[in-house]
Amino acid sequence: MVLAAIRFVIMSQLSVLLNPITALGRWIIFIVQEMGRIAIFFFKSFYLMFSRPFQIKKILQQIHFIGSKSVFVICLTGAFTGMVLGLQGYHTLVKFGSSGFLGAVVALSLIRELGPVLAAIMVTGRAGSAIAAEVGIMRISEEIDALDTMDINPLRFLVSPKLAAALISMPLLTALFDVVGIIGGYISGSLLLGISGGIYFSRIETSVEMADVTGGFIKSIVFAAVIVTICCFQGYYTHTRREGFGAKGVSLSTTSAVVISCVIILITDYVLTSLLL
Amino acid sequence: MREPFIQFKNVYKSFGENHVLNGADLSIYKGEITTIIGKSGGGKSVLLKHIIGLIEQDSGNILFDGQPLSNMKKAEKKALKRKCSYMFQGTALFDSLTIYENIALPLKETTRLSDSEINRRVKDKMDQLDLNDIDEKYPSQLSGGMKKRVALARALVTDPETVLFDEPTTGLDPIRKKSVHEMISNYQLKFGFTGVVVSHDIPDIFHISQRVAMLNDGRILFEGSPDKLAQSSDPAVKEFIQGLYTGNDNGCIQTDKKN
Ligand SMILES: Nc1ncnc2c1ncn2[C@@H]1O[C@H](COP(=O)(O)OP(=O)(O)OP(=O)(O)O)[C@@H](O)[C@H]1O
Ligand SMILES: [Mg+2]
């Protein structure tokens, strides 16, 4: 058994060297299949969100976990992101004598890009990893099989409430991030570096359009779906991993859940930005 | 001749190089308790999981009332699952729910009973299994034997027609073991349910079961009444039974959960 496993690993490593095109092809087929499975996983869970009876209590619990408990970390990161934007923006703009535009720079970069992306990455780190580990442990302790034997749909029971909660919480967390960031920019740009507060805020008012806000809102909703789907998916199929079983498998699933979520967030961010602009 | 309720026909199942079932044939009759015995790691749990569809066979057929499980429509499978209940060897209780919530879960999620009715049924089962005053505890706060009984309560709370028990008494003390056996047998007398029990409790389990099947090397080596098992002349059956009888003087066998 062990020898066979070692031989398999060596052969698969060798094949990459010997035949890179086959290896690449195999890898691409794997990725496409995996994406298809994730998409089906998402659509099923999304559809089951609306099946009766609604799981209001569970959704509220998840909003508490994904949403409320992330407020502190969102405020903290939001404030410092805004402050550093204020600082960097000031020193750049002052070279062109246009430091009055600081409010516009800070608000637009936060509302369009940094707010949705950074809030999503923070939520991935805080809640996404926990979701992947929780679902993974339920899988290896046969709890998901138990749901199946009780004729309780595991996707409806486990994934749908998390998905609903994330779709509700993420836009709010993103809005919070934006507001706190703008205040952070005010603190560094105005209170510390001396731009007039009136100019800072009036520039925001004149430069930010509804389209910017809607764009950020759409992004945050898409990211919410990405985080919950990928993190639940990794945990749900933790038993099919070849590299490790049991606790090891769960730890690997948690890691890949966070890494894949972050990568997909950044990729979809680019795609969405190019579509929205 | 009686028609079997559940029938395995030449079922094969391998996990990679590990051939667990090699053409298993087994008949389970309605209203009877069938006990499956066999070596640890011999594939008893795998066999049981095939019945409820948690594992799918590589080849061969599993029939319910003469109808193959693999040909059934989704709705039919669902209806079948509703009537079946499975007790996991490793209990599979929900760590994040309290004991009460664990037992009430199948009723809450799959029926439209009122809260007071659910409460009555759950309390009823908890009383029968000597599980009082632990409603608000979590599974990780209980002993192994208590968890077993909670899992048993959860499996029986829906009053299912068919129950698959994977080692319901392993790890229980002799008194509790006896009460679990009594409970299973009372259930059968009252509701006439079909039970499939994987057990190492020889010979106690024979008193409540009508049929015994012995799984050996991925096949059913013996199938029949407990009396016939005792008279069997097959050397492998004899060795297994005698090994168990001589291994322990009071007849209660304590086999380790995992080898
Ligand atoms: N999901 C799985 N993936 C891979 N192998 C498995 C899986 N489930 C069981 N096996 C293998 O199948 C074999 C039989 O396992 P099973 O759990 O059915 O034994 P058992 O007869 O129930 O033993 P015990 O009396 O100890 O519970 C074992 O060798 C086990 O390694
Ligand atoms: Mg077993």
Side-chain angles (χ1 to χ4, degrees), chain A residues 239 245, chain B residues 14-16 18 20 38-49 55 89 166-167 198 200 215 255-259:
Chain A
H239 63 304
F245 297 101
Chain B
S14 318
F15 295 103
N18 183 3
V20 181
K39 274 182 249 166
S40 184
K44 302 183 296 301
S45 300
V46 170
L47 186 83
L48 211 58
K49 282 180 185 167
I55 298 182
Q89 184 170 8
D166 200 347
E167 308 202 2
V198 170
H200 294 295
L215 187 67
T255 313
D256 279 341
K257 234 172 85 176
K258 287 282 158 208
N259 353 343

Side-chain angles (χ1 to χ4, degrees), chain A residues 18-213:
Chain A
L18 294 178
N19 205 340
I21 296 179
T22 331
L24 182 71
R26 206 177 294 137
W27 187 74
I28 288 177
I29 290 174
F30 172 77
I31 296 286
V32 171
Q33 271 178 346
E34 198 75 351
M35 286 198 319
R37 285 170 63 206
I38 293 178
I40 292 171
F41 188 83
F42 167 73
F43 285 118
K44 276 190 185 161
S45 317
F46 187 77
Y47 166 75
L48 288 166
M49 254 166 49
F50 303 101
S51 64
R52 275 159 215 271
F54 296 125
Q55 309 179 76
I56 306 288
K57 195 175 153 208
K58 267 207 236 118
I59 294 176
L60 289 178
Q61 279 170 350
Q62 290 299 327
I63 290 179
H64 175 67
F65 177 69
I66 299 173
S68 328
K69 286 197 170 174
S70 302
V71 165
F72 178 70
V73 76
I74 289 289
C75 286
L76 201 66
T77 46
F80 280 97
T81 308
M83 280 166 75
V84 83
L85 276 178
L87 208 60
Q88 288 282 11
Y90 177 83
H91 288 296
T92 312
L93 290 173
V94 106
K95 285 186 193 159
F96 306 101
S98 50
S99 59
F101 282 101
L102 186 66
V105 170
V106 171
L108 283 179
S109 38
L110 276 172
I111 292 173
R112 283 190 186 163
E113 284 300 330
L114 292 176
V117 171
L118 288 181
I121 287 179
M122 290 320 293
V123 170
T124 306
R126 212 202 62 77
S129 55
I131 289 174
E134 182 193 338
V135 177
I137 288 174
M138 294 186 81
R139 167 60 80 187
I140 60 166
S141 61
E142 295 185 312
E143 287 174 40
I144 293 179
D145 288 337
L147 285 175
D148 204 33
T149 65
M150 286 185 239
D151 194 33
I152 300 171
N153 189 325
L155 290 187
R156 178 184 136 82
F157 188 80
L158 291 176
V159 184
S160 298
K162 293 184 169 59
L163 191 59
L167 290 175
I168 295 169
S169 315
M170 269 312 290
L172 295 172
L173 288 174
T174 304
L176 183 70
F177 191 99
D178 293 346
V179 170
V180 175
I182 288 170
I183 296 171
Y186 169 75
I187 292 173
S188 65
S190 185
L191 298 185
L192 301 179
L193 295 170
I195 299 173
S196 141
I199 293 180
Y200 181 84
F201 283 111
S202 70
R203 280 291 177 205
I204 296 179
E205 203 186 329
T206 51
S207 62
V208 176
E209 287 167 23
M210 199 54 208
D212 301 322
V213 179

